[in-house]
Amino acid sequence: MTEQTQSDDVKKIPAQSAAPAEETLTDSRPAAAPSQDDVPEPVTADAPPAGAGPAEPAQTPSDGPATESAGTPAETVGPAAAEAAELTEAAEAVAEPVPAEATPAESVTPGPRKRLRDRRGLRAAVRWTAAVVVFAVLGGAAAYAVTQPERTEIPGLETPDDGRWTYPALKLPKLPAGQPGAMDRDNPAGRHYADLRTLLLPVPAGAKRDTSFPDRGGWLPTADFVEIYPEDVRKKFRAALDDNTLRHIAARAWTMPDGTRTEIYLVQFATEPYTTRVRNELIVPAAFAQAAHPQTDTTWSDDDSAVPKGEMVSPYNEASPRGATHLRAAYITAGDTLAVVHMEKAGTQPAVPFHQTVLLQAQLLG
C-alpha cells in the first residue's frame, strides 16, 4: 500500500516541477540568451519521491549532446522551454558573423551586375573610339582642304601680291660621280661639272619661251650674246671673252604677259680666275656700265644674304628719265661662270621680279 502510494506520487512530480521552470523563463530578459545554468533540468520518471532522501546527481554524458539524455525542450519542459530555445537560436544567428565570401552583393548575384558593368564599359569604349575616328577624319579633311587651293585663296593665309613670279620648284642636277660642287673647298678652280644648260633658271608660269634661244638644245654663238650691248661695246666685250678662255654660252629667254622680256646667259670660262678677271676689268668699272647700260646705277635694294657664299652680284638699274623702255641688268660671278640677267619692259619695270630672278639664278649656280 505504501509502495503504490509512492508510485502515484512519483507520477505527479513532473507536472508540479514544470511550473517553477515556466516562471523562471518568463522573468528572464528576452534580449539576452539564457545560459545553460538557467535552463531547468528535466525531471525524469525515475526521480525519487519527496521525502525519500537526497537524490543522486544526474549523470550527464560528456561525449553526447544534452538532447540525447534530456530529449527536446518542448517535450521535456513544455512550451516555455521551447520558446526560450527559439530565442537562443535567434540571438546566436544575429551574433554569428556572416562569412566574407557572402558579404558582397556580387558574390550572391554576380551575373547581372557584372554584365551591366561590362556593357557600360563597352559603350564607353565605343563612344571614345567613334570620337577619335571623327576627329581624325575631320583633321585629315581640313589638312587636305588647306593644301589643295593656292595660298592666296585661303582666308587668313593669303600673301599680298607683291608682283613676284611663280617659278617651278628648283632642282639641282646630279653631279658626276666623285666630282665636287663649284663652290666646294676641294674645287679651287670653281668648275661646274654639271651641264651648264641644266643650271638655267626655268621659265616662270604664264611666260612665253623664246624659241630662238638654244635653251637646252645647244650653245649660243658669241656674236649673238654681244648683241645685247651697244655697238661701241661689242668688240671690247668679245675680245675680253676670247682672251679669257671662253668655253661656251648657255641661254634662255621668255616674255611675261605684261610685256617684260627676260634673257639669261651663262658664260663659262676655263677656271674661276678667268671669270674674276673679266668681272674686275670689264664689268665693275663705271665706264663699262655707262657704255653697256646707259643711264644706269648700281642700286640693289634686296638683301644680299640670299646670295650663296662665294658669289658676287653686280646689279644695274636704268635711272629716270628713261626712254620708252626700262632696263635692269645683273652680273653674277660663280666659280668658272659669269651669269648675265637682262630684263627690259616698256614703261616702268617693278623691282621684285628682277630681284627674285637674279637670286634664284644665283642659287642654282651655287
Side-chain angles (χ1 to χ4, degrees):
M1 185 65 170
T2 305
E3 293 178 359
Q4 186 178 358
T5 304
Q6 292 177 353
S7 177
D8 294 338
D9 294 338
V10 171
K11 293 180 182 178
K12 294 178 182 181
I13 287 175
Q16 295 174 355
S17 61
E22 184 176 355
E23 292 176 0
T24 304
L25 291 175
T26 304
D27 295 338
S28 62
R29 297 181 182 180
S35 62
Q36 187 175 0
D37 297 334
D38 296 335
V39 180
E41 239 178 55
V43 180
T44 62
D46 298 332
E56 294 181 359
Q59 298 292 332
T60 304
S62 58
D63 297 333
T67 55
E68 294 182 0
S69 60
T72 59
E75 294 177 355
T76 308
V77 296
E83 184 179 354
E86 292 177 359
L87 291 175
T88 303
E89 293 177 358
E92 292 176 353
V94 172
E96 184 179 359
V98 181
E101 302 87 293
T103 299
E106 291 82 356
S107 63
V108 180
T109 55
R113 293 194 180 184
K114 186 175 185 303
R115 287 195 297 271
L116 179 59
R117 288 199 307 272
D118 292 344
R119 285 197 297 270
R120 288 177 179 174
L122 180 61
R123 285 196 296 269
V126 170
R127 285 196 299 268
W128 279 106
T129 303
V132 171
V133 171
V134 169
F135 278 110
V137 172
L138 292 177
Y144 178 79
V146 169
T147 57
Q148 291 308 302
E150 295 294 334
R151 181 183 178 86
T152 55
E153 298 176 2
I154 302 176
L157 296 179
E158 64 270 21
T159 300
D161 186 10
D162 56 1
R164 69 185 62 192
W165 296 340
T166 303
Y167 283 95
L170 302 183
K171 184 178 181 180
L172 293 174
K174 187 177 181 180
L175 292 172
Q179 299 298 339
M183 312 308 294
D184 292 349
R185 291 183 178 181
D186 55 351
N187 187 4
R191 290 286 303 274
H192 281 88
Y193 289 97
D195 189 332
L196 204 63
R197 291 168 291 189
T198 63
L199 298 178
L200 285 166
L201 188 65
V203 177
K208 182 179 180 181
R209 187 173 67 86
D210 188 345
T211 57
S212 64
F213 279 62
D215 206 272
R216 290 195 177 190
W219 303 103
L220 183 72
T222 306
D224 293 348
F225 168 65
V226 297
E227 285 292 329
I228 64 174
Y229 300 106
E231 186 175 355
D232 57 344
V233 177
R234 295 174 189 170
K235 291 183 180 181
K236 185 178 181 180
F237 204 109
R238 180 160 187 173
L241 298 179
D242 293 339
D243 292 344
N244 288 280
T245 65
L246 172 66
R247 297 183 61 193
H248 38 239
I249 302 172
R252 176 178 289 165
W254 66 81
T255 303
M256 294 297 290
D258 64 352
T260 304
R261 177 176 174 80
T262 303
E263 300 174 2
I264 297 180
Y265 305 91
L266 301 182
V267 184
Q268 189 173 34
F269 298 93
T271 59
E272 182 179 5
Y274 292 104
T275 308
T276 303
R277 180 188 300 175
V278 171
R279 178 183 181 277
N280 293 337
E281 294 181 0
L282 187 63
I283 298 173
V284 173
F288 170 80
Q290 293 299 323
H293 310 294
Q295 298 181 344
T296 61
D297 55 32
T298 57
T299 303
W300 181 250
S301 58
D302 207 359
D303 186 3
D304 289 341
S305 63
V307 178
K309 186 177 181 180
E311 298 185 25
M312 298 185 66
V313 177
S314 301
Y316 295 96
N317 176 39
E318 186 178 5
S320 57
R322 294 180 291 266
T325 61
H326 182 187
L327 172 67
R328 291 180 184 271
Y331 295 85
I332 308 169
T333 54
D336 63 353
T337 301
L338 173 69
V340 180
V341 178
H342 196 272
M343 192 176 292
E344 194 170 6
K345 181 182 181 295
T348 301
Q349 178 187 160
V352 171
F354 173 71
H355 294 156
Q356 177 191 14
T357 302
V358 172
L359 293 176
L360 290 178
Q361 182 60 71
Q363 291 174 7
L364 278 175
L365 291 174

